[in-house]
Amino acid sequence: MLKAAIVGATGYTGWELVSILLCHPKVRPFYLTSDSFAGRSFAEIYPQFRGRCELILEKLDEEKAGACDIIFAALPHGTSLEVVPGLLATGKKVVDLSGDFRLKDAALYPLWYGYEHKHPALLAESVYGLPEQNRAAVSKARLVANPGCYPTSVQLPLIPLLQAGLVETEDIIIDAKSGVSGAGRTPKQPYHFPECAENFKAYKVTGHQHTPEIEQGLSEAAGRQVTLLFTPHLVPMIRGILSTMYLRLKPGVKVEDITALYRKVYADEPFIRLLPEPYLPETKDVSGTNFCDLAFRVDGRTGRLIVVSAIDNLVKGAAGQAVQNMNIMLDLPETAGLM
Amino acid sequence: MLKAAIVGATGYTGWELVSILLCHPKVRPFYLTSDSFAGRSFAEIYPQFRGRCELILEKLDEEKAGACDIIFAALPHGTSLEVVPGLLATGKKVVDLSGDFRLKDAALYPLWYGYEHKHPALLAESVYGLPEQNRAAVSKARLVANPGCYPTSVQLPLIPLLQAGLVETEDIIIDAKSGVSGAGRTPKQPYHFPECAENFKAYKVTGHQHTPEIEQGLSEAAGRQVTLLFTPHLVPMIRGILSTMYLRLKPGVKVEDITALYRKVYADEPFIRLLPEPYLPETKDVSGTNFCDLAFRVDGRTGRLIVVSAIDNLVKGAAGQAVQNMNIMLDLPETAGLM
Amino acid sequence: MLKAAIVGATGYTGWELVSILLCHPKVRPFYLTSDSFAGRSFAEIYPQFRGRCELILEKLDEEKAGACDIIFAALPHGTSLEVVPGLLATGKKVVDLSGDFRLKDAALYPLWYGYEHKHPALLAESVYGLPEQNRAAVSKARLVANPGCYPTSVQLPLIPLLQAGLVETEDIIIDAKSGVSGAGRTPKQPYHFPECAENFKAYKVTGHQHTPEIEQGLSEAAGRQVTLLFTPHLVPMIRGILSTMYLRLKPGVKVEDITALYRKVYADEPFIRLLPEPYLPETKDVSGTNFCDLAFRVDGRTGRLIVVSAIDNLVKGAAGQAVQNMNIMLDLPETAGLM
Amino acid sequence: MLKAAIVGATGYTGWELVSILLCHPKVRPFYLTSDSFAGRSFAEIYPQFRGRCELILEKLDEEKAGACDIIFAALPHGTSLEVVPGLLATGKKVVDLSGDFRLKDAALYPLWYGYEHKHPALLAESVYGLPEQNRAAVSKARLVANPGCYPTSVQLPLIPLLQAGLVETEDIIIDAKSGVSGAGRTPKQPYHFPECAENFKAYKVTGHQHTPEIEQGLSEAAGRQVTLLFTPHLVPMIRGILSTMYLRLKPGVKVEDITALYRKVYADEPFIRLLPEPYLPETKDVSGTNFCDLAFRVDGRTGRLIVVSAIDNLVKGAAGQAVQNMNIMLDLPETAGLM
C-alpha cells in the first residue's frame, strides 16, 4: 500500500479525504497533521472513524510528510501558501486543496483573496487539477492545484461549450447554491443551526473569490477573456452544490449540437453523467459520489441556454477530485477508490 | 366583527388564512369549506388550532359563503375557475388565490395552465391584487386575483425599475428558490421527507406557469412586451422564497439612482423593506411576516444589476397579501392583522 | 403603554421576549441591554425586526431599567445571580429567566450549576413562576424565577398526578427531546449546522441541571422527596420540546381517573390542551405558541403510565411563560399578547 | 461473482441493498423485482445509480430469482408471507427483511401485525438473523428473518446484560427515536416535508409491532419472559436510530462489571463499538455504516442503568445486516462489502 499524508486533516475536506482513502485499494491515510488537535486521535475528533482510523494527529513535520508517497494539503487559503513550498521541498508530489495555487495571475490574489502572493513561480508551475481537461498535465505535475467546489460545478459543463464555440462569451450568468459544509468546520453565527436551518440566502454577491478561478478556466477554453457574474447562495443542507448557468447560444446552434458535443466530450468520462430529458440534476443524486450530473435546456422564448449541474462539494468539489488527481499522478486507475 | 368565508380551507394557503384572520382585529374566519374533510373540525386537520378554531368544515354552500362579508377562494388552479363565478353571484367580494384569474390574455391559459379559460369576462374584470401597485383598483374590485408567490417576489422589486426606465427590458433572468410548502399539502414523492431533505434541485425549467404572470406585470410596467427567463428551484425548508434577479442597467444609470427610486416608491410602504449595504435578504427574516425584503448590487465588472428579494411564500406570497387586499376592499386599515 | 426592560436582549429568549411584547396590547419593549452589542440597533442583530423594533442596545444602566414598569433578566446562569439584586434594588418587579433563582436549596447550586449561591435570601423570596400552580404567589412576587424549558414540559403534566396521589413517586423516568435553540445563540461545534443536521443524540445523561428543578416541583406536589431520572436529547429542529414520561400508577388507578383529574385541573387553563385519543402531542402543533399539549396512555401489559407533552421551548418554555408571569404581576389579563 | 436477487428492490431497504452490493467484492445485484415499476430501469427510479446499476426491474419470476445464488425479500409485512415460500421452493437461501418470519409464536401476529400467520412451520424453521448472537445458526439457515431496525438497536446492547444476569428483567423501558426513512418510501401526510421537518413526535405508543420482537430476543437471553415498554419517536432526519434504554441493575452489580462484560462479548465483533466515557452515541457517527455504537451510564441517584445505542436504520437496521447474514450464509468473510 502507498502512503498518503494529509496536512490539515481535521477540516471537512481532510475528513472526506480520510474517508475516501480508507476505502482506496492502493493508498491508505498514513500521516495526518493538525495544529489545533495535535496529540489526539483522528477518531476522537470524528467519532465515526472509531475502529477505522485511529491515527494520532501531529503537528506538521515535513520530513514525515515527505516519507509518504503523496501529500495532500487541506489547509485554509493563505496557510497553504506558507506550507506548500516546504512540502514540495521533500521531493514528493503535492495536491493542494486551497485556492492558493489556482490563479495563474498573481495580481488577482490581493483583489480576491486579500493577500500578496509570494510564490509566483509556483503559480506558474502548478497544474490546475480538473482531470477531465488536464489529465496529461496532471500526470506529470509536481504540484496540483485542486479546483474549488463552485468552479468544478461550473467548468465541467461550460468548458466544452466554450471550446467548441457554441455559446457567446458575453453575458454568462451563474447562479450557484451550496450546502453548509462548504463554509468549513469552524462554528460561526451564520452556520449555527437555528440561524441556518429553515433559511436561504445569497452571499458575497459580486465578490466571491471563486469568480476569477471560473473566469480563468472559461477564458482559456474560449481563447479570449470571459467576464461573468457569479452569485453563490447558502442552502440548508449539509452537502451538495447545484449551479444554474445562463448562456446565450451562438446563432444557428441547436439543441442537437449541444447534445452531440457533450456526448462526444463526456461519453467516456467515468464521473460525468449527462441526464436525458426530462431529468434534471439534484444534489442528492450525487451525494457521497465523485459524479458531476448535468443537463441543459434551450428556452425557445428567449433563445437562452440554461445548463444545470450538481456535484457533492466535498467529493467532486474537493476530496474526491483530489483523489482522482492523485490516482493520475501515481499512475493508478483514475477511478480507484471512487466508485 | 366581520365574517370571512374560506373556500378550500385545508390547503396550506387556507390554513395560513385562518391563522392570520384569528389575530385580525376586525374580521374572523366564520365559514370554512373543504371537499375532502367536510364534517370534521378544522382543528382536527390542523391540531395546532385546537381551542383556537374549532369550526366544522363543510361542503361549499354558496348561500352560506354569501352570508359572509368577504370570500376567499383558496382552491387549486382549474377548480377556482369553476367555483368563483358562483361565489361572485352572491354579491359579495371575492379574493381568489389561484392563478385562474390572473392572466389578462385568455390565450395564455392553454399554454401555461393546460386548460381553456371559460370566463374571459371575469379575466377582464378581475383586479390583480398587488396592493403596492393597484391599491385604488383593488379598493373597488369585485374580484381580486391574488398574485402568485414567485410573481410577488419578482414584481415588487422590478416593477419600479421598469416603470422608471432604469433597466433594459431585454435579458432579464430570474433565478428563484422556494421552500417546500409552495408545492402544497398533498403528499407526493418529490416532497416526501427522505427525498426532499438534504436535496436541492431546479424544476420546470423554462416551463413554470408563473412566467407569463411575471411578464404581464413587467410588460405593463415597461410599456412594452417583456420576455424573460424564470427558473424555480426547491429548497429543503418549509417556508420562504428568495429570488435573485439579473438585469442590465440602462446607460448612465447609477447605484444612487436605484437607491433613490426605491426610497421614493417604497419609503411609505409598510410591507417593503429596502436593506442597506452590507445586508442582503434572507428568508428567515421575513418568515411568518407580510414583508418583502429587498436589496441590490451593481457589478462593476459586468455592468449588471443584481436584485435580491425575500418573502414568506405563504404570507406575502399568498394569505398575507390576500388579507392585505381584503383590508383594502373592506376599507379597513391596510396593515390590520398583519403586524 | 407600560414599559418593559429586557436585560440581555440578544440571546434567543431575549429575542423571543421582544417578539412577543411587540404584539402585546398593554406593554412594549422599551429598554434593551446587551454587553456584546451595545451601541447597535436590535434590528441590526435580528434583521427580521427591521422597521418593527429599532431600539438601540445599551450596556445595563440600572436606573434606566428601573424607569420601566417590569424588568426581564434574560441572562446566562451565573450572570443573572450578579445582576438581579441590583435590578430589584430599583424597586421594580423582576422576572428572571435563568436558573439562578429557581432552586430553593442553595446547596444544590454547587452540584448542578457549578457555583456557590451568594443570595440565599433571594432564593427564599423568589416565586417559581409556573402560573398554573403558583398564580397567587406570582401576583404578589417581587422576583419571579421563570421555570426552565424542560421543567415546564415535565411539571405541567406531572404535578397534578402527584398532587392527587394517582402515581407512585418512585421510578419516574423522563426522556426529553429539545430543538437546538435550547442550546442558545452562541455558535459551538455541536450546533454547527453540518454537525447537527441529520443527527440525533443524548447529552448530559444523568447530569443535566434541570433535574433538581424538576425534582423540587414534583417533590412539593407529592409531599415527599421525588428522585427521578432525566435524560435530554438534541433534535435537529430549531424549536420545540417533547417529553416522554414513564410512571407507575398507584394500585387501582384507572385511565378514567387520570382523564377526570386532568379535566378538572386543566379545563379552564388557557394554555393547557389535553388531547383526546388517538392524538398525541407534536412539537409543530405548539410551535410559536404558549400552549402545552399533553396526552397519556396506560400500557396494559406493564401497568405503566406514559405521559407525553409538547411545548415551544422559547415560548411556554421561556419568553411566553415570562410574559404570562408579567401579565399576572402587572394585573393584566393573563393571556394578553399570548393568543 | 455470485448473483443476488432482490425481490422488492425499490423500497428504501431494497435501494440500500443495491447500494451495498454494488461495492461488494464477491456478490453483485443481478435480478431486481418491482410490482409498481416493472419495465423501468432501477436507475430511472433512483437516478443516483445512473451508470452504476442500469438493471431493468421485473415482475417477480421465481425461476429467475432461483437462478441467483442468494435471494433477498425486501417486501412489506404481509406480502413477504405470501412470497417467501415460493422463493424457498427454488432451493436457494432467502434473507427476508420483513417482520413476517421473526416471531416464533404465531399467535402474536394477529395482535401486532393484524393478520393470521399461515406458515407456522416456516416460523419454526427461520433463523433470527442477529449475527452477533446467532452466527452458527445463520450459517446453516435456509431462511433468515432479518431483524427489525429498532429491535437491532435494542437487542445488541441488552442481550449480553440479560444473558449475564447483570440486570433485572422487570421494568425495562425503551425510548427509541428514528429518522423518517424508517417509515418507507411511499409518500404519506405525516412524512410530507412541511409536516415532518421542524417537528418531533411519539407514535404508536404502547402498540408498535417491534415490541414482541424485542421481547422475544430479551426473553430468550434472560431465560424468562421479559415484558417491556417500547416507545418510538419520529426525528426530522433521513437516517438513523438512537435508542435510550432504562434498566435496573441487579444488587451488587457495578459499572466495572458492565464494562468488562461488553468488552468480553464485543471486543472482537467488527460492527459493535463500545464508546468510552465521556462519549455517547450519535446517529451521524454510524450513518451509512453497519456499526452499532453503544455506551452506558449508571445513575448513582436512582441506581438505574441507562444504555444508549445508535445504528443506521437502513444499514445495520436492515440492508447492511442482511448482507452480513448473506456473507455468513454464503461462507464469505462476514465484513465483505460492509467496511
Side-chain angles (χ1 to χ4, degrees), chain C residues 1 19 27 49 88 104 124 131 141 186 238 250 282 315 323 332-333:
Chain C
M1 295 287 273
S19 185
V27 184
F49 289 110
L88 287 169
K104 292 300 175 189
T186 305
I238 301 174
K250 284 217 173 144
E282 308 192 14
V315 187
V323 169
L332 302 170

Side-chain angles (χ1 to χ4, degrees), chain A residues 19 31 38 77 111 136 141 154 162 166 190 218 246 276 284-285 292 317 335:
Chain A
S19 187
Y31 177 63
H77 305 316
L111 289 173
V154 173
L162 287 158
L166 298 188
L218 300 195
Y246 301 94
K284 76 162 186 280
D285 293 339
C292 175
T335 60

Side-chain angles (χ1 to χ4, degrees), chain D residues 101-129:
Chain D
F101 299 96
R102 293 183 197 148
L103 303 180
K104 292 300 173 188
D105 180 357
L108 291 168
Y109 280 93
L111 289 172
W112 294 95
Y113 284 88
Y115 67 78
E116 289 287 335
H117 205 288
K118 299 188 281 191
H119 300 292
L122 285 180
L123 279 190
E125 180 192 345
S126 75
V127 171
Y128 189 71

Side-chain angles (χ1 to χ4, degrees), chain A residues 74 87 121:
Chain A
L87 298 177

Side-chain angles (χ1 to χ4, degrees), chain D residues 177-191:
Chain D
K177 301 90 176 174
S178 174
V180 185
S181 62
R185 189 170 181 261
T186 306
K188 290 177 189 160
Q189 200 70 51
Y191 316 118

Side-chain angles (χ1 to χ4, degrees), chain B residues 124-142:
Chain B
E125 178 190 346
S126 75
V127 171
Y128 190 72
L130 198 65
E132 288 76 8
Q133 286 301 319
N134 298 337
R135 200 163 269 129
V138 167
S139 76
K140 288 172 251 161
R142 198 170 66 116

Side-chain angles (χ1 to χ4, degrees), chain C residues 118-323:
Chain C
K118 297 189 285 192
H119 301 291
L122 286 179
L123 279 191
E125 179 191 345
S126 75
V127 172
Y128 189 72
L130 198 65
E132 288 76 8
Q133 287 300 320
N134 298 338
R135 199 164 269 130
V138 167
S139 76
K140 287 174 252 162
R142 199 170 63 117
L143 171 60
V144 162
N146 206 59
C149 50
Y150 286 125
T152 297
S153 78
V154 173
Q155 292 177 93
L156 286 173
L158 297 197
I159 282 177
L161 299 175
L162 287 157
Q163 283 174 334
L166 298 188
V167 294
E168 303 287 357
T169 57
E170 308 295 314
D171 258 342
I172 299 177
I173 290 175
I174 295 159
D175 192 285
K177 299 88 175 173
S178 174
V180 185
S181 63
R185 190 171 180 258
T186 305
K188 290 177 190 161
Q189 199 71 51
Y191 316 118
H192 188 48
F193 185 91
E195 311 281 318
C196 186
E198 272 290 299
N199 192 28
F200 186 87
K201 63 173 179 179
Y203 66 98
K204 289 193 185 177
V205 175
T206 77
H208 194 283
Q209 72 276 7
H210 283 171
T211 309
E213 182 179 341
I214 297 169
E215 290 181 345
Q216 172 177 285
L218 300 195
S219 297
E220 195 185 314
R224 49 180 297 186
Q225 176 62 32
V226 173
T227 303
L228 52 75
L229 196 49
F230 169 68
T231 311
H233 300 74
L234 190 70
V235 186
M237 62 185 184
I238 301 174
R239 283 162 175 259
I241 282 180
L242 190 123
S243 290
T244 313
M245 295 160 270
Y246 301 95
L247 300 103
R248 205 189 306 281
L249 290 176
K250 284 217 173 144
V253 175
K254 290 182 192 135
V255 168
E256 302 74 49
D257 302 327
I258 299 172
T259 304
L261 172 71
Y262 277 137
R263 288 212 181 120
K264 192 183 70 172
V265 177
Y266 284 142
D268 297 329
E269 284 297 342
F271 297 120
I272 313 284
R273 301 191 295 196
L274 178 65
L275 309 191
E277 285 235 38
Y279 298 100
L280 286 167
E282 308 192 14
T283 63
K284 76 162 186 281
D285 293 339
V286 296
S287 185
T289 81
N290 202 47
F291 287 113
C292 174
D293 278 5
L294 64 94
F296 70 91
R297 298 288 184 276
V298 172
D299 180 44
R301 302 166 64 255
T302 60
R304 280 270 180 175
L305 169 69
I306 305 117
V307 184
V308 182
S309 71
I311 61 169
D312 183 319
N313 59 307
L314 295 179
V315 187
K316 186 62 176 169
Q321 186 147 267
V323 169

